[in-house]
Structure formats: C-alpha cells, structure tokens
Amino acid sequence: MVRYSFIVFCVSFMLACTLFSNCDASHDNPKLYIVYMGSLPKTPYSLTYNHLSMMQEVFNDVDATNSLIQSYQRSFNGFAAMLTNQQKEKLSQMEGVVSVFPSRKFQLKTTQSWDFLGLPKSVNRSRAIESHVVVGVIDSGIWPESDSFNDQGFGPVPKHWKGVCAGGTNFTCNKKIIGARYYIDKSARDLNGHGTHTASTAAGNYVDNASFYGLAQGTARGGVPLARIAAYKACDDSGCQSAAILSAFDDAIADGVNIISVSLGGYSQDPFDEDPIAIGSFHAMARGILTVNAAGNEGPNPISTSSVAPWMLTVAASTIDRRFIDKVVLENGKTLTGISINSFTLNGTQVLIAKKNGGPNCSEDDANACNCLDSNSVNGKIILCDRGHGILEDDVNPAGVIIQSRRKGSPAFVTPLPSLSLSITDFQLLKSYTNSRDNPKAEILKSETVTDDNAPTVIGFSSRGPNTIAPEILKPDISAPGVEILASFSPVVSPSDYKFDKRSAKYNIISGTSMACPHVSGIAAYLKTFHLDWSPAAIKSALMTSAKPIKSSEDEIGEYAYGSGHVNPIPATNPGLVYDISLEDYIQMLCNLGYNNEKVKLISGKKNACSQPPNRSLVRDLNYPALAIDVKPTTSFTINFNRTVRNVGLANSTYKATILPNPRINITVVPKILSFKFVGEKLSFTVTVIGDKPTTTLTSSLVWSDGTHNVRSPIVINVSD
Ligand SMILES: *[C@@H]1O[C@H](CO)[C@@H](O)[C@H](O)[C@H]1NC(C)=O
Ligand SMILES: *[C@@H]1O[C@H](CO)[C@@H](O)[C@H](O)[C@H]1NC(C)=O
Ligand SMILES: *[C@@H]1O[C@H](CO)[C@@H](O)[C@H](O)[C@H]1NC(C)=O
Ligand SMILES: *[C@@H]1O[C@H](CO)[C@@H](O)[C@H](O)[C@H]1NC(C)=O
Ligand SMILES: *[C@@H]1O[C@H](CO)[C@@H](O)[C@H](O)[C@H]1NC(C)=O
Ligand SMILES: *[C@@H]1O[C@H](CO)[C@@H](O)[C@H](O)[C@H]1NC(C)=O
Ligand SMILES: *[C@@H]1O[C@H](CO)[C@@H](O)[C@H](O)[C@H]1NC(C)=O
Ligand SMILES: *[C@@H]1O[C@H](CO)[C@@H](O)[C@H](O)[C@H]1NC(C)=O
Ligand SMILES: *[C@@H]1O[C@H](CO)[C@@H](O)[C@H](O)[C@H]1NC(C)=O
C-alpha cells in the first residue's frame, strides 16, 4: 500500500519522541542522551578520556566504553551516550556539566526565486572573494554528481579550509564540494533529496535550462554560485538525531565553514542549553560564524517555531510571483482550474467517476475519500476524492485523481500521476456535473505556471512566533522564498515521494521553510563577500533592517509570521547602520535570563560570566535589530529599549528617526537625530513605549533614515498573562 497524501509538505521527516517512543522512562532502559559541557577548556587535554572517566564514574564496575557514542571536542565540549535515567541524573549533578537532555529526532524541515528577490544573474560578484566562502550545510547529505556542483573554473580550495572529504564509499569531492562528512548511514550521499535541494539553493553553480519535466524552466543557481560547499549528513528519511546534529556543528565550526545552513528543526521551544541547534549555533557565533535556521513547517499556529535563540537567523517561508496551476477540461468545454505540479498529460478525455466501490470492508465515507478503492471500479478512470488524504493500493491504477482541497493557501505538490486539487466550490461543481451525466468525461492537462501579483506572502505552513523562551527576541527573524522552489535533487529518489512513482529527476520542485533557509544562507554568504570582517550579528542586522515589510492576513500579527520582513539582498549589502552584538552581550543576556553563573561560565568559557546580579528587564536591551516585549493585559506600561548603532555607511551622515504611528501606544526616540562624524562610530538611543490597558498585541516600527539608507526595526508589544 502506498500512502497518497496531499497534506504533507515536501519531504516529511517526522519526529520520534512523541510519535514513536515513549519519552518518559517507565522502564529504566538506556537511552541516547547529550551531556553538554559548554566551551572547550583553555588548556587542551584528552576530552575523550575525560568523557569516558565521567561515564565510568556513573557506570560503577561496568565498562562504559561502548555506551559512549560520540565525544564533542573540536568546537565545544560534551558527549552523547547511552544512559539510564539514574546514570543521567548522576551525570547532571557532576561538575562541568551544563545540561543533560535526551537526543531527539528533528525534522528536516531556482531559477525564478533569485530574480524575484532582486538578486539577478547580472549582480556584481568577485570570483576571487566569493570562492573563498564556504557554506556548511547540515542536512541529509548531497548528490555530488549533480550539475549544480560542477567545479569547472574553480581554483584550489581556500587556505583557511581545515576540513576533509570523508564522504564514505563511492563519494568524491571536487573543488565545489570541498568537504563531506556523515553521522548516519555509510556515506554522505543524499538518498532523500532534501540536502541536495538545500545545498544547491544556497550555493549551487549555474545550470542552464534546468526544469522539472519542462516546468519552471530557467537557469538554476544558488545565492553564491562561486562559493564552496561542505556537506554534513546528519539526517535520513526518518529525521535527524540531536547527537548527529551536534557532531555536524562540532566538525563544521572546526573545519572552517563561513556560514552554516540548517534546514531542520524540532517541534517545541526548548531552553537554549537543551536545544542542539541553539548549542551548536552558539559556538559557531563565538567563532564568527552565522547559523541560518528554518523556522519550521508547523504554522499557522502561534508559538510553532522551534528556532528561538537570538544568535541564529530564523527564516520563514513566503511565496514567489510564480505559482503552479493545473486545469481539468470537461467534455462540455468548461475548464476548472486547481493547483498541482503535474508533469503528466492524459491521452484525451477519460471517464470521470465520483462514486467508487471500495470493496467489502470500506465504508461509503472512506470510499469517497479514496481511503480504500476497488481496482475494478477505478482503473483507467479519473476519480474524485473528497479528501486529500487517502491510500492508493498498489494494484489500483486510476487514470487521474482530483482532490477537494479544504486548506486555503496550500502550496502545489509534485503529483505521482495526473492529478490536481480543486477548491471546495469547484470540486462540488465537478461532482454534480459527474453525477448528473451518463458517461462523463474530462481531461487533466499538464500544469502551467502563472504570475502571482500578491507575492510575497507568508505561506500558511510556515511556523509562527511569538518566542516564549525569550519574548524579548522577536522570532522568526525574516522571510524568504520557500514555496514551489526548483533546485537540484537526488535522481534515485521519487520526486513525488511515492514509491510507485519511478521517475528520476535531476531538479525537483518542493516547498518548506527548509527551502527558504538556504536562500538566506546564500544571501548571508553574499554579504560576507562584501564585509569579510563583520560579526554574525552585524550580517544578521543588515539582513533584518533592510527587509521589506510584507502583506499579512487580517487575522494574525504579521511580525510573528515574517519577523522584520522579506529578505532584500542588494540593500542588505549597504545597510548604513548595524546593530552589533558581541559574545559578551549574549553572555550577559544568558545571565539576565536566569542561567546561573556556573552554567554560563561553562557555556562561554569566560571566568567572570555573570558579573552583575541577573535582571530580567535588561534582556530587552540586548542590541537586537527588532524590539519586542511581553506586557500584562489591562495595565498601563512604560518600556524603555536601549540600542546602539554603528555607522557602516558614509562619514558625516545624519540619521533621523521615524515611528510608524499606532494610536494605541505613544513611542518616543531620544535622541531623534544621530549625527555620525566617522565610519565605525557608535551612537546610542532609547526608545520609550507608553501604553494603557492593551488587550491585543500592538505593533509599530522605527526607521532611521539618512535619505539613502532606511534602517528599519519592527516594534512588537505582546499582550500575555
Ligand atoms: C562591483 O564590486 C566591486 C568590488 O566590490 C566594485 O569595485 C565595483 O564598483 C562594483 N561594480 C558595480 C557596477 O557595482
Ligand atoms: C557510485 O555512485 C554512482 C551514483 O549513484 C553510481 O552511478 C555508481 O555506479 C556508483 N559506483 C559504485 C562503484 O558503486
Ligand atoms: C531544455 O530542456 C527541455 C526539457 O528538458 C528540453 O526539451 C530542451 O531541448 C532543452 N533545451 C536546450 C536548449 O537544451
Ligand atoms: C498515451 O499514449 C501513448 C501512446 O499510445 C503511451 O505511450 C502513453 O503511455 C499514454 N499516456 C498515458 C498517460 O496513458
Ligand atoms: C473484512 O473484515 C473482516 C473483519 O475484520 C475480516 O475478517 C475480513 O477478512 C475482511 N475482508 C476483506 C476482504 O478484507
Ligand atoms: C533592573 O533593570 C531595570 C532597568 O534598567 C532597573 O530599572 C531596575 O532597577 C533593575 N533591577 C534591579 C533589581 O537591579
Ligand atoms: C539606557 O539609556 C539611558 C539613556 O541613555 C540611560 O540613562 C540608561 O542608563 C540606559 N540603561 C541601561 C540599562 O543601560
Ligand atoms: C566630515 O566633516 C568634517 C567637518 O566638517 C570634515 O573636516 C571632514 O573632512 C568630513 N569628512 C568627510 C569624509 O567628508
Ligand atoms: C499618548 O499621548 C497623548 C498626548 O500626550 C495622550 O493624550 C494619550 O493618552 C497617550 N496615549 C497613550 C496610549 O498613552
């Protein structure tokens, strides 16, 4: 039996913890845990030996060697081990341990998209500089033979590169893919397609005339076609273990990547010291490497993003101006238009049926939903299915499938046979037509592309804020194209993700925040070529403050969908001002969030971590390029945000503050004018927000402008009990 579902997004990697395994230990069987120990010690010594002796201490007389699964010791300190609950408890009390948490399964979450973003092929690039940038991709591996990873014209690997090509059996690197490692399976080869798609979106080379069976035809390329790629395989079809994600970060940071792209995520907002992506990206940030992370595909529910740490850049998914439609033409000449990415054509009209026989054990409702079907009644016919969630038996072979779509604003999916989904209205129209005729017939056409003038809008599945771990940090940070994106794929994987679909595609069209994330990774790498010395926070600030606010639906707070707005690459290269954040600032924030001094000392590797007593109300003074805060309903409030900007534009420039008015709040900026004499100069200001008995979330924005640069920050006052 093959699941035939139109509800899953792209390649779906499900989590294990809540679905497959019982997370609370009723039996004390050993389970895989992460023992996180913070920064590397200043004086080098054998950490493996240290990890083993800690293990031995809790294992008593039993040999612990085989239970130590992985030592992290290149970029941060810690290990993964099989532990019983009792051993875990003992270890978490030991000196030097920050946190012990179970390893969980994380979900792995183009042609036109770059033009739509305003980064055309003709954009100014320097091969000399761009070819020094290495984008590290933590994903399901890579298909090294893809045209997108052709290394023609590439020079020797950059001098700073310290990685290796350890891709396993039958895996060769070249001057484009300069590094490969794997922490699952027997090679870094991508047997899923996801990792190849994301890596080629971030940094794939130019490939002319790429398409999916002629659809979305054009030149495929990544954000930095001249940059190098290092692939770290931490995921397979079933997802990615925390332990493997941490191994990938440990290596990528030490190997010398310049940007880390992570198109995967969890399902909950976890404390920073129990979230492998937050831990890995913290140590990356401490070494000057920005991590870009997908927001997740759990939207549009609020609080659905699991990517909440301030040192990473969290990316939501939005539409581009190219969408896919598909048409069904009835015998009477009438045409109904739905959506799908259908590369098939029917040989003329075929019989349409709405009533289907599902066999002896199938209820009428299940048969209508195509959950169970009898081959005699459906083979060779176009069937109508009430729900986009059904099962096609292996021996069932309909000519086509038309599905009623109950979700508005879903993306189109690659279909394994001639198929499309129709709106409820059109589906019901087609159903009555079918039922009213003796021998109704129709033809399903091949999909075509149309222009969507509404783009960009954030797609429904993209995970939303707010951030409950640190409400002062607005999440997600930015949106980027993540809907119906064409990029390189693994030719051994079914492009529709259905086993009976035996097609092999070099390029595939998929949707997800997983596709949005590498767009921003590519742009961050592009920025890096202009500003080699900028900190991760400065690059992040440039991307956020130049982002364009976008349309959002009436019934949600847009900032919780897209953060600062839609990524805008060219203005980001010249942002005028940046909000920078140092490692020390993040450390102070951890103290103020309530992480105790011992923990923060271990995490940061600094002696005097929390020098001042923790003060929660100072968290909002982290120099973040967005302003957010929780307030209690039905009270009045006065909130100050302190910020400092650095002039990265021209000497002798004067910036004036503008506030987008919101009648429910009064916002003042002091001073209102910032006059910079020289480049690199820093000036501070305070934003005061005064409100009275708010009942709903209030938003505004602050723009610093010198007439050329508009440096924009959203302001979000969240009302929360
Ligand atoms: C392209 O970039 C180089 C180096 O950054 C710069 O000197 C040159 O002026 C740029 N050209 C254009 C057309 O922007
Ligand atoms: C190596 O992998 C490629 C791509 O899958 C395949 O075509 C080739 O046959 C493989 N070679 C060996 C020796 O397995
Ligand atoms: C471009 O690709 C299409 C579809 O794969 C193919 O039919 C066509 O011949 C190709 N054109 C060129 C110029 O290679
Ligand atoms: C259409 O007809 C051609 C030629 O008879 C055949 O090869 C092809 O498989 C048919 N396509 C479908 C979708 O039935
Ligand atoms: C129908 O269900 C009954 C009871 O579960 C089972 O015994 C029988 O084998 C099923 N028949 C078919 C054709 O699946
Ligand atoms: C915390 O910081 C706020 C804002 O600067 C200040 O008003 C308050 O007094 C501080 N609280 C403590 C306990 O130091
Ligand atoms: C915030 O800025 C104001 C005005 O410059 C200053 O008085 C205050 O001390 C600052 N607060 C903090 C916590 O730095
Ligand atoms: C900035 O202004 C000062 C004073 O007017 C002047 O001396 C200096 O040359 C100016 N710098 C630049 C780069 O224009
Ligand atoms: C904003 O300021 C005006 C003028 O001082 C005042 O009338 C109004 O009540 C204030 N609004 C809020 C929400 O504080």
Side-chain angles (χ1 to χ4, degrees), residues 670-688:
V670 178
K672 270 196 186 64
I673 306 260
L674 297 176
S675 294
F676 295 91
K677 289 191 186 55
F678 53 91
V679 176
E681 185 178 358
K682 293 179 189 173
L683 292 174
S684 297
F685 60 91
T686 302
V687 177
T688 304

mmCIF file of all heavy atoms in Angstrom, residues 670-688:
data_model
loop_
_atom_site.group_PDB
_atom_site.id
_atom_site.type_symbol
_atom_site.label_atom_id
_atom_site.label_comp_id
_atom_site.label_asym_id
_atom_site.label_seq_id
_atom_site.Cartn_x
_atom_site.Cartn_y
_atom_site.Cartn_z
ATOM 1 N N VAL A 670 14.848 58.976 21.825
ATOM 2 C CA VAL A 670 15.763 60.009 22.324
ATOM 3 C C VAL A 670 17.201 59.520 22.170
ATOM 4 O O VAL A 670 17.513 58.443 22.694
ATOM 5 C CB VAL A 670 15.487 60.321 23.816
ATOM 6 C CG1 VAL A 670 16.478 61.370 24.328
ATOM 7 C CG2 VAL A 670 14.048 60.807 24.008
ATOM 8 N N PRO A 671 18.081 60.241 21.455
ATOM 9 C CA PRO A 671 17.747 61.412 20.647
ATOM 10 C C PRO A 671 17.077 61.013 19.332
ATOM 11 O O PRO A 671 17.176 59.875 18.919
ATOM 12 C CB PRO A 671 19.125 62.020 20.384
ATOM 13 C CG PRO A 671 20.071 60.864 20.409
ATOM 14 C CD PRO A 671 19.511 59.895 21.408
ATOM 15 N N LYS A 672 16.444 62.007 18.706
ATOM 16 C CA LYS A 672 15.726 61.778 17.450
ATOM 17 C C LYS A 672 16.651 61.827 16.239
ATOM 18 O O LYS A 672 16.296 61.413 15.148
ATOM 19 C CB LYS A 672 14.669 62.878 17.258
ATOM 20 C CG LYS A 672 13.322 62.589 17.838
ATOM 21 C CD LYS A 672 12.327 63.580 17.224
ATOM 22 C CE LYS A 672 10.952 63.484 17.847
ATOM 23 N NZ LYS A 672 10.951 63.860 19.276
ATOM 24 N N ILE A 673 17.809 62.460 16.454
ATOM 25 C CA ILE A 673 18.770 62.638 15.357
ATOM 26 C C ILE A 673 20.097 62.025 15.792
ATOM 27 O O ILE A 673 20.543 62.249 16.923
ATOM 28 C CB ILE A 673 19.008 64.152 15.083
ATOM 29 C CG1 ILE A 673 17.679 64.870 14.851
ATOM 30 C CG2 ILE A 673 20.022 64.351 13.960
ATOM 31 C CD1 ILE A 673 17.302 65.141 13.450
ATOM 32 N N LEU A 674 20.697 61.251 14.929
ATOM 33 C CA LEU A 674 22.024 60.704 15.202
ATOM 34 C C LEU A 674 22.981 61.255 14.132
ATOM 35 O O LEU A 674 22.765 61.037 12.945
ATOM 36 C CB LEU A 674 22.014 59.175 15.142
ATOM 37 C CG LEU A 674 21.130 58.436 16.163
ATOM 38 C CD1 LEU A 674 21.161 56.932 15.897
ATOM 39 C CD2 LEU A 674 21.566 58.728 17.598
ATOM 40 N N SER A 675 23.982 62.022 14.589
ATOM 41 C CA SER A 675 24.944 62.597 13.633
ATOM 42 C C SER A 675 26.281 61.885 13.779
ATOM 43 O O SER A 675 26.938 61.992 14.822
ATOM 44 C CB SER A 675 25.139 64.096 13.899
ATOM 45 O OG SER A 675 23.925 64.752 13.626
ATOM 46 N N PHE A 676 26.649 61.160 12.739
ATOM 47 C CA PHE A 676 27.905 60.399 12.765
ATOM 48 C C PHE A 676 28.990 61.197 12.057
ATOM 49 O O PHE A 676 28.775 61.695 10.948
ATOM 50 C CB PHE A 676 27.734 59.058 12.054
ATOM 51 C CG PHE A 676 26.771 58.133 12.733
ATOM 52 C CD1 PHE A 676 25.414 58.141 12.393
ATOM 53 C CD2 PHE A 676 27.203 57.247 13.713
ATOM 54 C CE1 PHE A 676 24.517 57.282 13.007
ATOM 55 C CE2 PHE A 676 26.311 56.381 14.332
ATOM 56 C CZ PHE A 676 24.969 56.399 13.988
ATOM 57 N N LYS A 677 30.143 61.305 12.697
ATOM 58 C CA LYS A 677 31.253 62.017 12.072
ATOM 59 C C LYS A 677 32.112 61.069 11.255
ATOM 60 O O LYS A 677 32.624 61.418 10.215
ATOM 61 C CB LYS A 677 32.101 62.709 13.136
ATOM 62 C CG LYS A 677 31.369 63.883 13.746
ATOM 63 C CD LYS A 677 32.278 64.737 14.600
ATOM 64 C CE LYS A 677 31.441 65.799 15.297
ATOM 65 N NZ LYS A 677 30.305 65.176 16.077
ATOM 66 N N PHE A 678 32.277 59.861 11.737
ATOM 67 C CA PHE A 678 33.167 58.952 11.008
ATOM 68 C C PHE A 678 32.552 57.556 10.873
ATOM 69 O O PHE A 678 31.608 57.210 11.581
ATOM 70 C CB PHE A 678 34.554 58.885 11.673
ATOM 71 C CG PHE A 678 34.530 58.558 13.134
ATOM 72 C CD1 PHE A 678 34.603 57.239 13.558
ATOM 73 C CD2 PHE A 678 34.433 59.574 14.105
ATOM 74 C CE1 PHE A 678 34.583 56.928 14.907
ATOM 75 C CE2 PHE A 678 34.413 59.262 15.454
ATOM 76 C CZ PHE A 678 34.487 57.937 15.859
ATOM 77 N N VAL A 679 33.104 56.797 9.961
ATOM 78 C CA VAL A 679 32.664 55.423 9.739
ATOM 79 C C VAL A 679 33.169 54.568 10.905
ATOM 80 O O VAL A 679 34.306 54.725 11.343
ATOM 81 C CB VAL A 679 33.211 54.895 8.392
ATOM 82 C CG1 VAL A 679 32.844 53.418 8.204
ATOM 83 C CG2 VAL A 679 32.673 55.728 7.246
ATOM 84 N N GLY A 680 32.313 53.737 11.437
ATOM 85 C CA GLY A 680 32.693 52.906 12.581
ATOM 86 C C GLY A 680 32.242 53.520 13.897
ATOM 87 O O GLY A 680 32.287 52.855 14.931
ATOM 88 N N GLU A 681 31.785 54.784 13.850
ATOM 89 C CA GLU A 681 31.328 55.454 15.078
ATOM 90 C C GLU A 681 30.041 54.796 15.587
ATOM 91 O O GLU A 681 29.184 54.386 14.808
ATOM 92 C CB GLU A 681 31.060 56.935 14.770
ATOM 93 C CG GLU A 681 30.707 57.756 16.000
ATOM 94 C CD GLU A 681 30.499 59.241 15.646
ATOM 95 O OE1 GLU A 681 30.678 59.611 14.460
ATOM 96 O OE2 GLU A 681 30.136 60.004 16.550
ATOM 97 N N LYS A 682 29.950 54.706 16.935
ATOM 98 C CA LYS A 682 28.752 54.122 17.539
ATOM 99 C C LYS A 682 27.978 55.201 18.280
ATOM 100 O O LYS A 682 28.573 55.991 19.006
ATOM 101 C CB LYS A 682 29.136 53.036 18.545
ATOM 102 C CG LYS A 682 29.774 51.819 17.935
ATOM 103 C CD LYS A 682 30.108 50.844 19.061
ATOM 104 C CE LYS A 682 30.942 49.697 18.559
ATOM 105 N NZ LYS A 682 31.403 48.855 19.669
ATOM 106 N N LEU A 683 26.656 55.193 18.129
ATOM 107 C CA LEU A 683 25.810 56.112 18.893
ATOM 108 C C LEU A 683 24.643 55.328 19.480
ATOM 109 O O LEU A 683 24.162 54.360 18.889
ATOM 110 C CB LEU A 683 25.299 57.245 18.004
ATOM 111 C CG LEU A 683 26.359 58.256 17.504
ATOM 112 C CD1 LEU A 683 25.725 59.242 16.517
ATOM 113 C CD2 LEU A 683 27.008 59.007 18.671
ATOM 114 N N SER A 684 24.194 55.764 20.661
ATOM 115 C CA SER A 684 23.118 55.055 21.359
ATOM 116 C C SER A 684 21.856 55.896 21.410
ATOM 117 O O SER A 684 21.900 57.116 21.302
ATOM 118 C CB SER A 684 23.555 54.737 22.793
ATOM 119 O OG SER A 684 24.665 53.884 22.764
ATOM 120 N N PHE A 685 20.745 55.220 21.580
ATOM 121 C CA PHE A 685 19.472 55.920 21.727
ATOM 122 C C PHE A 685 18.537 55.057 22.568
ATOM 123 O O PHE A 685 18.817 53.873 22.808
ATOM 124 C CB PHE A 685 18.856 56.230 20.351
ATOM 125 C CG PHE A 685 18.578 55.008 19.512
ATOM 126 C CD1 PHE A 685 17.351 54.377 19.565
ATOM 127 C CD2 PHE A 685 19.567 54.483 18.680
ATOM 128 C CE1 PHE A 685 17.100 53.246 18.796
ATOM 129 C CE2 PHE A 685 19.319 53.350 17.910
ATOM 130 C CZ PHE A 685 18.078 52.733 17.974
ATOM 131 N N THR A 686 17.455 55.672 23.034
ATOM 132 C CA THR A 686 16.456 54.959 23.835
ATOM 133 C C THR A 686 15.084 55.118 23.198
ATOM 134 O O THR A 686 14.693 56.219 22.816
ATOM 135 C CB THR A 686 16.427 55.513 25.279
ATOM 136 O OG1 THR A 686 17.729 55.377 25.840
ATOM 137 C CG2 THR A 686 15.435 54.756 26.139
ATOM 138 N N VAL A 687 14.392 54.008 23.043
ATOM 139 C CA VAL A 687 13.014 54.032 22.535
ATOM 140 C C VAL A 687 12.094 53.790 23.727
ATOM 141 O O VAL A 687 12.267 52.801 24.449
ATOM 142 C CB VAL A 687 12.789 52.929 21.476
ATOM 143 C CG1 VAL A 687 11.337 52.914 20.998
ATOM 144 C CG2 VAL A 687 13.737 53.113 20.299
ATOM 145 N N THR A 688 11.167 54.707 23.956
ATOM 146 C CA THR A 688 10.224 54.551 25.061
ATOM 147 C C THR A 688 8.823 54.312 24.502
ATOM 148 O O THR A 688 8.355 55.073 23.649
ATOM 149 C CB THR A 688 10.225 55.807 25.947
ATOM 150 O OG1 THR A 688 11.573 56.033 26.380
ATOM 151 C CG2 THR A 688 9.328 55.633 27.155
#
